[in-house]
Amino acid sequence: VAEEVEVIGRPCHGVNRLMQKFPNVLKEFQYVKGGAHVDKALVIRDAGNKDAQELKTVMQAMISNRRYSFPVKLLVVVKELEAWLLADEDAVKAVTGKKATRVQNPENVSNPKERLQSILSEARISYTAEIARKIAANARVEALESRCQSFKQFQEAILDC
Protein backbone atom coordinates (compact mmCIF):
# COMPACT_ATOMS: atom_id res chain seq x y z
CA VAL A 1 0.00 0.00 0.00
CA ALA A 2 1.43 3.34 -1.05
CA GLU A 3 1.88 5.95 1.63
CA GLU A 4 -0.06 9.20 1.22
CA VAL A 5 2.35 12.03 0.48
CA GLU A 6 1.62 15.74 0.60
CA VAL A 7 3.44 17.61 -2.15
CA ILE A 8 3.68 21.37 -1.93
CA GLY A 9 4.89 22.89 -5.18
CA ARG A 10 6.25 26.29 -5.99
CA PRO A 11 6.62 26.70 -9.76
CA CYS A 12 9.15 29.40 -10.56
CA HIS A 13 8.16 29.83 -14.24
CA GLY A 14 11.47 29.42 -16.02
CA VAL A 15 15.05 28.67 -15.09
CA ASN A 16 16.09 32.31 -14.72
CA ARG A 17 13.39 32.97 -12.12
CA LEU A 18 14.10 29.63 -10.45
CA MET A 19 17.76 30.53 -10.02
CA GLN A 20 16.78 33.88 -8.50
CA LYS A 21 14.03 32.57 -6.23
CA PHE A 22 14.82 29.07 -4.99
CA PRO A 23 16.95 29.98 -1.91
CA ASN A 24 14.12 32.15 -0.57
CA VAL A 25 11.48 29.57 -1.50
CA LEU A 26 13.44 27.01 0.52
CA LYS A 27 13.48 29.44 3.46
CA GLU A 28 9.70 29.79 3.15
CA PHE A 29 9.33 25.99 3.25
CA GLN A 30 10.45 26.02 6.88
CA TYR A 31 7.08 27.63 7.67
CA VAL A 32 4.88 26.23 4.90
CA LYS A 33 3.25 23.62 7.15
CA GLY A 34 2.70 25.90 10.11
CA GLY A 35 5.92 24.76 11.73
CA ALA A 36 5.23 21.06 11.16
CA HIS A 37 8.08 18.89 9.87
CA VAL A 38 8.92 19.02 6.16
CA ASP A 39 10.48 15.74 5.00
CA LYS A 40 12.56 17.15 2.16
CA ALA A 41 12.68 19.76 -0.58
CA LEU A 42 13.48 19.08 -4.21
CA VAL A 43 14.68 21.90 -6.45
CA ILE A 44 14.26 20.71 -10.03
CA ARG A 45 15.36 22.40 -13.22
CA ASP A 46 16.27 21.32 -16.69
CA ALA A 47 19.78 21.88 -17.99
CA GLY A 48 18.77 24.08 -20.92
CA ASN A 49 21.71 22.75 -22.98
CA LYS A 50 24.20 23.66 -20.23
CA ASP A 51 26.41 21.29 -18.24
CA ALA A 52 24.20 19.71 -15.56
CA GLN A 53 26.98 19.24 -13.00
CA GLU A 54 28.12 22.86 -13.39
CA LEU A 55 24.57 24.09 -12.84
CA LYS A 56 24.19 21.90 -9.77
CA THR A 57 27.46 23.29 -8.38
CA VAL A 58 26.22 26.86 -8.90
CA MET A 59 22.91 26.02 -7.21
CA GLN A 60 24.71 24.40 -4.26
CA ALA A 61 26.91 27.48 -3.86
CA MET A 62 23.79 29.66 -3.69
CA ILE A 63 22.59 27.85 -0.57
CA SER A 64 25.90 26.71 0.95
CA ASN A 65 25.74 29.29 3.75
CA ARG A 66 22.09 28.57 4.56
CA ARG A 67 20.67 25.95 6.92
CA TYR A 68 17.28 24.36 6.51
CA SER A 69 15.41 22.08 8.90
CA PHE A 70 14.97 19.49 6.13
CA PRO A 71 17.20 17.89 3.52
CA VAL A 72 17.45 19.70 0.18
CA LYS A 73 18.01 17.82 -3.08
CA LEU A 74 19.11 19.81 -6.11
CA LEU A 75 18.24 18.14 -9.41
CA VAL A 76 19.30 19.18 -12.87
CA VAL A 77 17.47 16.84 -15.20
CA VAL A 78 17.41 16.46 -18.99
CA LYS A 79 18.38 19.40 -21.12
CA GLU A 80 14.65 20.09 -21.61
CA LEU A 81 11.76 18.52 -19.70
CA GLU A 82 9.92 18.09 -23.00
CA ALA A 83 12.12 15.04 -23.59
CA TRP A 84 10.14 13.30 -20.86
CA LEU A 85 6.88 14.32 -22.53
CA LEU A 86 8.08 12.69 -25.76
CA ALA A 87 8.91 9.42 -23.97
CA ASP A 88 5.35 8.09 -24.11
CA GLU A 89 3.85 8.48 -27.57
CA ASP A 90 0.49 7.19 -26.25
CA ALA A 91 0.34 10.14 -23.84
CA VAL A 92 0.98 12.53 -26.73
CA LYS A 93 -1.70 10.76 -28.78
CA ALA A 94 -4.18 11.06 -25.89
CA VAL A 95 -3.82 14.84 -26.09
CA THR A 96 -3.47 15.31 -29.86
CA GLY A 97 -5.71 12.52 -31.09
CA LYS A 98 -2.95 11.65 -33.59
CA LYS A 99 -0.44 8.83 -33.53
CA ALA A 100 2.97 10.16 -32.57
CA THR A 101 6.18 8.63 -33.91
CA ARG A 102 8.14 6.80 -31.23
CA VAL A 103 11.33 8.58 -30.25
CA GLN A 104 13.89 5.89 -29.43
CA ASN A 105 15.79 7.90 -26.84
CA PRO A 106 13.99 11.17 -26.07
CA GLU A 107 16.93 12.48 -24.04
CA ASN A 108 19.07 12.43 -27.20
CA VAL A 109 16.68 14.58 -29.25
CA SER A 110 18.60 17.78 -30.03
CA ASN A 111 15.65 20.10 -29.39
CA PRO A 112 12.82 18.21 -27.66
CA LYS A 113 10.72 21.32 -27.07
CA GLU A 114 10.79 22.18 -30.77
CA ARG A 115 9.97 18.56 -31.64
CA LEU A 116 6.98 18.52 -29.28
CA GLN A 117 5.77 21.88 -30.58
CA SER A 118 5.93 20.51 -34.11
CA ILE A 119 3.87 17.44 -33.18
CA LEU A 120 1.29 19.62 -31.44
CA SER A 121 1.22 22.09 -34.32
CA GLU A 122 0.33 19.29 -36.74
CA ALA A 123 -2.69 18.65 -34.51
CA ARG A 124 -3.45 22.41 -34.43
CA ILE A 125 -2.66 22.62 -30.73
CA SER A 126 -0.51 25.34 -29.17
CA TYR A 127 2.07 24.26 -26.64
CA THR A 128 1.14 25.62 -23.24
CA ALA A 129 1.80 24.62 -19.64
CA GLU A 130 -1.70 23.14 -19.53
CA ILE A 131 -1.00 20.95 -22.58
CA ALA A 132 2.27 19.82 -20.99
CA ARG A 133 0.34 18.90 -17.81
CA LYS A 134 -2.17 16.89 -19.85
CA ILE A 135 0.57 14.94 -21.60
CA ALA A 136 2.33 14.33 -18.28
CA ALA A 137 -0.93 13.18 -16.65
CA ASN A 138 -1.37 10.60 -19.42
CA ALA A 139 2.25 9.42 -19.40
CA ARG A 140 3.01 5.93 -18.15
CA VAL A 141 5.74 5.88 -15.54
CA GLU A 142 7.04 2.63 -17.06
CA ALA A 143 7.65 4.39 -20.39
CA LEU A 144 9.64 7.15 -18.74
CA GLU A 145 11.59 4.70 -16.58
CA SER A 146 12.58 2.55 -19.54
CA ARG A 147 13.45 5.37 -21.94
CA CYS A 148 14.79 8.23 -19.82
CA GLN A 149 17.83 7.75 -17.59
CA SER A 150 17.37 11.16 -15.96
CA PHE A 151 13.81 10.22 -15.00
CA LYS A 152 15.22 7.27 -13.05
CA GLN A 153 17.57 9.68 -11.25
CA PHE A 154 14.58 11.92 -10.51
CA GLN A 155 12.69 8.96 -9.02
CA GLU A 156 15.66 8.02 -6.85
CA ALA A 157 15.84 11.58 -5.49
CA ILE A 158 12.16 11.50 -4.62
CA LEU A 159 12.50 8.20 -2.78
CA ASP A 160 15.78 9.16 -1.10
CA CYS A 161 16.05 10.82 2.34
Side-chain angles (χ1 to χ4, degrees):
V1 177
E3 183 181 330
E4 181 93 9
V5 176
E6 179 184 11
V7 175
I8 302 168
R10 294 291 185 272
C12 291
H13 308 291
V15 293
N16 291 335
R17 290 199 53 211
L18 172 111
M19 295 300 283
Q20 294 169 354
K21 292 175 63 172
F22 87 87
N24 290 331
V25 171
L26 289 171
K27 183 178 177 182
E28 172 201 330
F29 264 43
Q30 296 185 134
Y31 310 101
V32 75
K33 293 177 70 178
H37 177 71
V38 172
D39 293 321
K40 64 183 155 189
L42 301 175
V43 180
I44 307 164
R45 68 160 286 172
D46 62 29
N49 290 319
K50 296 180 181 172
D51 181 79
Q53 191 53 51
E54 254 180 56
L55 290 169
K56 194 171 177 180
T57 300
V58 168
M59 293 169 74
Q60 186 62 53
M62 293 174 72
I63 61 169
S64 64
N65 63 342
R66 299 175 185 235
R67 300 291 169 251
Y68 303 103
S69 59
F70 46 82
V72 175
K73 290 278 189 176
L74 304 172
L75 298 170
V76 180
V77 296
V78 291
K79 60 184 164 190
E80 293 180 357
L81 288 173
E82 287 78 8
W84 289 359
L85 299 177
L86 291 169
D88 187 348
E89 62 276 5
D90 291 338
V92 175
K93 181 181 178 184
V95 172
T96 63
K98 296 180 182 264
K99 182 173 171 64
T101 304
R102 182 179 177 92
V103 178
Q104 195 54 40
N105 186 339
E107 294 180 332
N108 287 341
V109 172
S110 63
N111 192 333
K113 185 173 189 173
E114 187 176 283
R115 174 95 174 246
L116 182 59
Q117 286 173 324
S118 175
I119 291 167
L120 292 169
S121 178
E122 288 174 17
R124 293 192 163 94
I125 298 172
S126 296
Y127 182 52
T128 63
E130 183 58 31
I131 292 298
R133 275 191 285 280
K134 286 180 181 179
I135 295 170
N138 282 287
R140 294 168 293 136
V141 171
E142 305 80 38
L144 277 81
E145 287 173 334
S146 69
R147 303 187 58 228
C148 299
Q149 181 62 37
S150 67
F151 183 78
K152 286 191 238 181
Q153 294 167 348
F154 169 72
Q155 279 184 308
E156 289 168 11
I158 290 171
L159 299 173
D160 191 23
C161 292

